[in-house]
Structures are given as C-alpha cells and as structure tokens.
Amino acid sequence: MKYILAIDAGTTSNRAILFDEDARVISVAQKSFRQFFPHPGWVEQDPAEILATTVGVCAEAIAQAQVDRKDIVAMGITNQRETTILWDKKTGRAIAPAIVWQCRRTADRAEAMKDAGYGDMIREKTGLEVDAYFSATKIAYILDHVKGAREKAEKGEVLFGTVDSFLLYHLTGGVHRTDISNASRTMLFNIHSLDWDEELLKLFNIPRACLPEVLPTAAHFGDTLAEHFGISIPITGMIGDQQSALFGEQCFEVGEVKSTFGTGAFVLMNTGHAPIISEHGLLSSCAWDIGEGPVYAMEGSIFACGSVIQWLKDDLGLIASPDETAALAESVTEKNPMVFVPAFTGLGTPYWDPEARGTIFGISRSTTKAHLVKAALDAIAYMSADVIDAMEKDLKASHDRILVDGGVSHNDYLMRTLADAIHRSVHRPALVETTALGAAFMAGMGCGLYKDIADIKKRASKAQVFAPTGADLSEERDRWKKAVAATMANHMD
Ligand SMILES: Nc1ncnc2c1ncn2[C@@H]1O[C@H](COP(=O)(O)OP(=O)(O)O)[C@@H](O)[C@H]1O
Ligand SMILES: O=P(O)(O)OC[C@H](O)CO
C-alpha cells in the first residue's frame, strides 16, 4: 500500500492528512495559529507560525500513522489563497507579516485602479474583479512600506509567494515555485497565456524577479529536505484550496458545481478548457492542469458564512454551539419577518460592494433569537443561490446537483433550504475533508500513482442527498434581494 500526505494550510488552522492510495484517511493532525487584527478591517498572520505548525502537523500525522515512511510516495499542498508573504531569499525569513486574503487595508489602492478605468482590462486578463482580496495590491503595499524591499525584490533577493509557495520554499530548502491555480488569484497572472503579465506587473509596480515560477497543479515541484520528516518526500501536487475541493468533490464535468461552506463560502463551477469572463460579477480562475491543459472554474466568493455562526455564538452569545442553529431555525414555522444581510466585510460575488456593512430588517417586539438564527442561515443559502443563478446566466448550462463540503455544510436545515432555493439536489459526501483529498489526488496524479481521472473516479465516497422538498421560496428570495439592494444603497459612512 502506498500513501500520500496532504497539507491543508487553511485560514485559521493547518491540517495534515495521510491518505492511503484508495483515498482512505489514515491519520489527521491539526493545529490552529494566531490571527492578528492590528486595525479595523486588517488581518495578518505570522509566516513563521504558519510554517512551524505545518511542519508540526505533518510530523504528527506521519508518527500517528505507523506506516513505513518509505511508502509515503508523495505530498500535496493545498492552501488559503491570495494571502501574501514576502521573504528574504537568503534567510527565508518573512520581511513583514502575511497579509491575509480578508485584509481590507489596500481597498483604496484597488478602488483607485477601478476609478482609473483598468477594471475591464484586468478582468479580461486575470478573470478577476479589481479588489483588495487578491495579492497584487498587498504585494505592492509591502514593497512600499518595508525599507529597501523594492530594491531587493528587483534583484530577486526578496521573494513573493502565496502560502503554498512559502511552504514549498522552506520544505525543500529553496525551491521558488507556485502553481497555476494559486497564481491566478494574484491579479498579476494572465489566465490565457498562463504567465505573469508584463502590463499588470508594470501597473502594480511589482518586479518580475521576485515572483515564483508557475507550474501545472500536478508536477514535480521539489522534494522535502530529509531533516523535516526523516525522509525526502516528493511534492507533486499544489493547488489552491477551493480548486482543490472542486477536484476532491470530483466535479470533472463542465457545469458541475461545488460549494465549500467554511469561514467564507466559495462556490465553484467547472467551465472546462476555456475561461469564461463573467458578465455577472463572477471570477474565473485556473482550476487545475493534470497534463491535459488547464481546466478553468468560475467562482463566487461569499465573505461571510461560518463567521456569521461564530458571531452568533462568540460575540452575541445567542447559541452555545453551531449545532443548535438548525433546530432553532426549524422552530420558526411562520414566514420569517426578519431578513439579515451579513455584510460584515462588504459583499462579495455577485454584488461586489466593499463598503456595505451588515443590516437587519423586520425587527418587531415579537422577534426572538430563533428568527435571527434562521435569517442568518437563510442568508447563507440565498447568497449561494444568487451566485449559482449568476453562474448559469454566464455559462447558460446547469447541472442537476451541487456538491457541498466545509464545516457549515453539517447543517441539515441549511442544506435543505439551499436545495429548495436552487431547485436541485445537494450532495454532501461522507468524507468532508474534500479539500485535502483534492490535494492528495493531485499529488497522486503528479507522481504517477493515478493514471487518469477514471482512476480517481473509482475512489468516490458516498454522499447524503438533500432533494428539493418542493417548498416555494420565491417570495423569501425576493425579500432577500430587496434587503441586499437596500443595504447597498444605504452605506452609513
Ligand atoms: N452544524 C453547524 N451549523 C452551522 N455552522 C456550523 C456547524 N458546524 C460547524 N459550523 C461552522 O463551521 C465553521 C468551520 O468550518 P471549516 O470548514 O472548518 O472552516 P475553515 O476551513 O474556513 O476554518 C465554523 O464557523 C463553525 O461555526
Ligand atoms: O482557508 P479557507 O477555507 O477559509 O479558504 C480561503 C480561500 O482560499 C480564500 O480565497
């Protein structure tokens, strides 16, 4: 039996999962790391802590598994995307804290790009909406604020990478590479030519010398130094976490959709070998390349999902555990008079309003916490439904099911509401670690353990299916859309 070690370097924690060649989980280790919020809207992480926890969980997963280390034939890395790290080539030390994908500090720079009329050109080349979410403005910010950084970056003495790239550099002892799925989230990568784009590099004032080499998602990226895990493991798969979940959920056909409900929610649709430049506010990114040319995905990024549940629990103290939310929502049997738009950090796809903030409509004296909990879960379902509707306008195709994963997908009420809102079945696999599984599959392709997609299809896990109940939610969805419009029209500052 052969084994693959998958690293899932997420936003709040790092996980290492050892899979056997039949995609069964052999061992899991997980460790959270700190988040820093130095100013309102800013989010930072410590790159050294990301690295240390990653190495730690890998060592732990390997030790737990009690397999012969020589049988671990490959490693796959999947990661939170866009998060930006710049480090010194000689020492490997970061020159500034990691600027996390959620961080809004460069919102003004992004707005200025839009105001100067670059939005269409950037969308055409990168598939992205100009926003502080992506790496480009974050890299420029660090180069502008750390003394001497730009000069060193110009000489290739300071390097940029997303988390995959930073981990690869350290695990291998100096290989500076990334893959097309992560590169396509930087806003500097041309998703048609599959190369860094000179015009964009000039526009954002970023030297090419600091950027990593870009490979397909299944490739030989490098080998881990033996000092880390007692053996050298070839790293043969790297893929951004949302694209990895699309692969792990086996959405191999054009039109297939998955939604990962974590801290945020990310809905991705396989659009095949051609990128679709959306007319409805969706993003297009490279999904993977397993040696048959790039496959693209259209994406809707919803910024608030699990964070809403955490807010109800940790900040409002309305619930003791996320598990309570489904029953509370079910307890509201009448039409909910309340609509909650959880725009904590603006609204993402398809609305794109960075200035919007959360609003609650329809509070009366008879309002209870159950109404608010139900409104929160409904908001997550309706935001996802809005994304899926927008995708179908662009692709003009639809599939009869969507696949789901992530912590919030444990919520049966939400899954049923989603099925009714989009009029199709929602499939939740028994193995919810689909993000890590995608990276393991990718590494298995990269090292030749799996030949083709058919080999991977044999390793599908069973799913629980939520079929539409026939409930008509059109009135609720209309009220939701009105609430979103009102939220967007009424910024407080
Ligand atoms: N039954 C549930 N209903 C709603 N939310 C849930 C439930 N179980 C877990 N969650 C939420 O899932 C989120 C964690 O999901 P996870 O996929 O681990 O997120 P991430 O990978 O972004 O850290 C938390 O915000 C938690 O509140
Ligand atoms: O780490 P996650 O699961 O919150 O995913 C983060 C996304 O990749 C951000 O684009």
Side-chain angles (χ1 to χ4, degrees), residues 12 17 29 61 121 201 251 349 368 399 422:
T12 56
I17 303 186
M121 180 273 278
L201 294 181
C251 293
T349 326
T368 66
H399 227 269
I422 60 177

Side-chain angles (χ1 to χ4, degrees), residues 87-90 92 159 165-177 213 221-225 228:
W87 66 93
D88 184 296
K89 183 177 179 179
K90 233 188 265 152
L159 304 177
S165 200
F166 180 72
L167 292 177
L168 179 78
Y169 190 83
H170 285 273
L171 291 173
T172 58
V175 176
H176 189 213
R177 288 179 170 152
E213 181 191 359
F221 288 88
D223 301 297
T224 65
L225 296 173
H228 290 305

Side-chain angles (χ1 to χ4, degrees), residues 1 3 18 62 65-73 231:
M1 183 63 81
Y3 302 91
L18 191 73
I62 294 173
Q66 296 185 327
V67 301
D68 188 337
R69 287 172 191 238
K70 285 197 296 297
D71 292 330
I72 304 175
V73 293
I231 39 151

Side-chain angles (χ1 to χ4, degrees), residues 8 10-13 15 30 101 241 260-264 266 305-310 313 322-326 377 405-412 414:
D8 178 359
T11 306
T12 56
S13 75
R15 266 191 286 258
Q30 176 168 4
W101 59 274
D241 60 5
T260 299
F261 294 95
T263 308
F266 299 90
C305 178
S307 53
V308 183
I309 309 297
Q310 291 306 116
K313 177 168 126 349
D323 297 336
E324 290 172 21
T325 55
L377 293 174
D405 53 70
V408 184
S409 75
H410 289 121
N411 194 297
D412 289 1
L414 175 57

Side-chain angles (χ1 to χ4, degrees), residues 88-419:
D88 184 296
K89 183 177 179 179
K90 233 188 265 152
T91 63
R93 270 202 292 278
I95 62 164
I99 303 186
V100 180
W101 59 274
Q102 297 146 314
C103 187
R104 306 305 306 172
R105 83 180 63 179
T106 54
D108 287 354
R109 289 175 187 240
E111 280 310 299
M113 285 285 169
K114 263 200 234 166
D115 293 346
Y118 291 113
D120 289 345
M121 180 273 278
I122 292 176
R123 189 181 310 109
E124 279 298 320
K125 288 185 176 216
T126 67
L128 305 175
E129 284 293 313
V130 178
D131 195 87
Y133 174 23
F134 307 105
S135 314
T137 56
K138 301 181 197 285
I139 306 173
Y141 179 93
I142 297 178
L143 292 177
D144 287 344
H145 285 81
V146 177
K147 204 163 160 258
R150 189 175 298 285
E151 293 71 44
K152 285 192 174 168
E154 273 159 10
K155 290 190 260 170
E157 292 169 7
V158 156
L159 304 177
F160 153 74
T162 35
V163 169
D164 54 305
S165 200
F166 180 72
L167 292 177
L168 179 78
Y169 190 83
H170 285 273
L171 291 173
T172 58
V175 176
H176 189 213
R177 288 179 170 152
T178 188
D179 75 276
I180 55 168
S181 70
N182 274 295
S184 65
R185 308 293 294 187
T186 58
M187 217 155 72
L188 299 171
F189 189 69
N190 188 312
I191 60 170
H192 311 276
S193 66
L194 302 180
D195 194 6
W196 302 115
D197 188 279
E198 285 303 333
E199 192 182 358
L200 295 176
L201 294 181
K202 239 187 236 133
L203 186 63
F204 288 99
N205 195 13
I206 291 167
R208 197 179 177 110
C210 72
L211 302 178
E213 181 191 359
V214 187
L215 300 189
T217 48
H220 186 197
F221 288 88
D223 301 297
T224 65
L225 296 173
E227 70 197 42
H228 290 305
F229 313 119
I231 39 151
S232 174
I233 309 172
I235 300 172
T236 56
M238 296 220 301
I239 181 166
D241 60 5
Q242 301 310 322
Q243 291 95 326
S244 190
L246 191 70
F247 200 78
E249 290 269 25
Q250 306 211 1
C251 293
F252 299 137
E253 279 176 36
V254 174
E256 282 199 298
V257 175
K258 75 89 201 175
S259 182
T260 299
F261 294 95
T263 308
F266 299 90
V267 188
L268 270 74
M269 178 190 269
N270 181 329
T271 62
H273 288 293
I276 290 179
I277 303 305
S278 173
E279 285 167 18
H280 301 96
L282 294 151
L283 311 171
S284 259
S285 300
C286 298
W288 58 74
D289 184 349
I290 52 170
E292 298 164 356
V295 168
Y296 294 87
M298 204 154 45
E299 172 170 336
S301 311
I302 298 165
F303 299 145
C305 178
S307 53
V308 183
I309 309 297
Q310 291 306 116
W311 179 69
L312 294 172
K313 177 168 126 349
D314 300 336
D315 300 273
L316 300 194
L318 289 184
I319 50 169
S321 149
D323 297 336
E324 290 172 21
T325 55
L328 272 169
E330 308 268 14
S331 74
V332 179
T333 47
E334 77 280 13
K335 284 221 154 94
N336 193 356
M338 184 184 277
V339 183
F340 173 23
V341 182
F344 294 155
T345 52
L347 287 166
T349 326
Y351 329 103
W352 292 110
D353 185 350
E355 307 299 333
R357 289 299 174 264
T359 43
I360 296 174
F361 297 87
I363 301 175
S364 68
R365 184 62 187 80
S366 57
T367 298
T368 66
K369 73 174 176 183
H371 293 112
L372 180 58
V373 168
K374 181 173 159 66
L377 293 174
D378 289 347
I380 296 169
Y382 298 156
M383 286 191 284
S384 311
D386 287 351
V387 168
I388 292 165
D389 286 352
M391 280 176 167
E392 283 168 6
K393 281 190 204 140
D394 277 320
L395 190 68
K396 297 180 182 62
S398 71
H399 227 269
D400 56 1
R401 57 169 201 176
I402 84 155
L403 295 106
V404 295
D405 53 70
V408 184
S409 75
H410 289 121
N411 194 297
D412 289 1
Y413 168 79
L414 175 57
M415 296 302 103
R416 267 196 303 276
T417 307
L418 179 61

